[in-house]
Amino acid sequence: MDEPIFSLKDVYFSYLGKYPALRGIDMDIRQGEKITVLGANGSGKSTLLHLLDGLIFPQQGAIRAFGVALQEGVFNDADFSRDFRKKVGLVFQNPDIQLFCPTVEEDICFGPLQLGVGEKETACRLEKIADDLGIDDLLQRSPHQLSVGEKRKVAIASTLIIEPQVLVLDEPTAGLDPKTSCAIVEIILRANSAGRTIITATHDLHIVEEISDRVYVLSREKKIARVEEPERLLADSRFLEEHNLIHTHAHCHQRQAHTHPHQHPGPDHHH
Ligand SMILES: Nc1ncnc2c1ncn2[C@@H]1O[C@H](COP(=O)(O)OP(=O)(O)OP(=O)(O)O)[C@@H](O)[C@H]1O
Ligand SMILES: [Mg+2]
């Protein structure tokens, strides 16, 4: 079997040394896999993705990416840094962090131009991605004036255009309408068929089956509660409820209070 591209061993991370965000994380990710991270708010999903993207480093345990330990100082090596940034692309949960240019077009083209992709090639990629995401009419606008969903699409475009080997997506469908969510899932699947590795944090159970070979569920204790194929996990409504991934409705039928689990309608049933 191939060497994992990411390997995490007993990784611990806390913010400011006092707010634990991940504990004892073990994880191996191989090239071409589709990995999903689920968990309640605050369970550590974004922190995990930031570790994978080399933005923060484990305080205990170790993380290796492409055979190199990701630790303080590793990005001081300009060659490693450039190579890593070409290989791994993160779409942040909050698109405002990613968007800083005067126009959408400049924002989307910023990454590839920085990384040495030529202007012609960049323009060519831009045209295709803008078309795929339906954002042609936003290109000359200011990113800060866009709606939440429009911003998210632009943020996704600005990562996709780098054509990273590993695509790391933090809640890529949050705030998107059903048709746009579908388009994002299609883009993810197309990237995966081309051999790219996809790592997604999400709350959107409707997309989990399609975008995952394996799902990691983080618990409120910020540990891995379960690792499983999506079909079996999605069938376990008790477990999903326990981890805030589905909720119980409480309401009245003919004056009788009663609760029942919120049904998960299945992957082909976008709402
Ligand atoms: N900058 C920060 N400073 C201090 N604590 C933080 C910071 N960012 C996150 N945390 C804490 O770390 C824990 C994990 O946060 P994280 O953002 O990784 O969760 P998440 O699973 O992505 O949540 P959500 O579903 O809300 O996006 C939480 O308890 C949070 O309060
Ligand atoms: Mg998050």
Side-chain angles (χ1 to χ4, degrees):
M1 214 175 193
D2 291 348
E3 276 293 295
I5 53 172
F6 283 103
S7 164
L8 286 76
K9 296 246 160 29
D10 199 25
V11 166
Y12 173 91
F13 183 86
S14 78
Y15 289 94
L16 311 168
K18 57 178 176 181
Y19 303 115
L22 285 175
R23 296 180 218 258
I25 304 297
D26 289 311
M27 191 177 261
D28 279 329
I29 300 174
R30 295 189 160 71
Q31 182 66 42
E33 284 194 302
K34 299 190 297 263
I35 303 296
T36 297
V37 184
L38 294 177
N41 291 133
S43 58
K45 301 179 297 297
S46 295
T47 304
L48 179 60
L49 300 194
H50 292 179
L51 282 162
L52 293 172
D53 195 44
L55 298 175
I56 53 176
F57 303 100
Q59 289 148 355
Q60 288 168 37
I63 165 166
R64 296 179 75 79
F66 313 103
V68 175
L70 291 186
Q71 57 198 16
E72 215 77 54
V74 70
F75 288 97
N76 295 344
D77 178 337
D79 288 339
F80 175 80
S81 177
R82 194 185 181 81
D83 185 53
F84 186 88
R85 295 286 158 230
K86 272 190 184 171
K87 272 187 184 153
V88 182
L90 168 68
V91 179
F92 285 84
Q93 182 169 3
N94 175 1
D96 285 322
I97 294 176
Q98 253 178 285
L99 308 173
F100 48 84
C101 291
T103 68
V104 166
E105 178 170 327
E106 286 168 279
D107 244 323
I108 298 175
C109 296
F110 181 85
L113 292 176
Q114 279 288 305
L115 291 168
V117 178
E119 275 184 35
K120 225 169 148 185
E121 170 66 17
T122 301
C124 185
R125 291 184 191 180
L126 172 69
E127 195 182 335
K128 169 118 194 12
I129 284 166
D131 189 47
D132 281 352
L133 286 166
I135 53 173
D136 309 74
D137 54 343
L138 302 181
L139 294 179
Q140 300 316 319
R141 303 263 312 266
S142 158
H144 298 287
Q145 294 170 0
L146 303 180
S147 78
V148 175
E150 288 169 342
K151 280 184 189 173
R152 188 169 302 285
K153 286 194 263 185
V154 173
I156 290 171
S158 62
T159 299
L160 279 176
I161 197 168
I162 297 168
E163 302 188 347
Q165 210 182 93
V166 183
L167 205 51
V168 185
L169 304 152
D170 201 347
E171 315 254 3
T173 57
L176 296 184
D177 62 56
K179 198 168 162 217
T180 308
S181 289
C182 269
I184 300 296
V185 168
E186 262 174 47
I187 287 169
I188 289 175
L189 294 179
R190 217 181 305 145
N192 183 248
S193 323
R196 298 181 204 284
T197 308
I198 314 289
I199 305 169
T200 315
T202 187
H203 283 118
D204 187 352
L205 293 185
H206 298 92
I207 66 170
V208 168
E209 197 159 348
E210 280 180 280
I211 61 159
S212 330
D213 298 319
R214 190 163 70 252
V215 182
Y216 288 83
V217 181
L218 296 177
S219 67
R220 277 184 211 75
E221 294 74 43
K222 293 119 163 79
K223 294 178 181 164
I224 294 175
R226 191 154 158 180
V227 187
E228 185 125 65
E229 289 166 12
E231 294 78 6
R232 292 187 56 176
L233 185 82
L234 292 172
D236 190 344
S237 46
R238 243 178 87 181
F239 179 85
L240 296 175
E241 204 177 323
E242 221 172 279
H243 290 273
N244 279 25
L245 296 165
I246 54 175
H247 59 88
T248 300
H249 281 306
H251 56 192
C252 286
H253 280 314
Q254 283 145 9
R255 292 195 200 155
Q256 250 193 330
H258 109 163
T259 63
H260 65 82
H262 178 73
Q263 288 296 308
H264 167 60
D268 52 1
H269 201 108
H270 293 262
H271 68 184

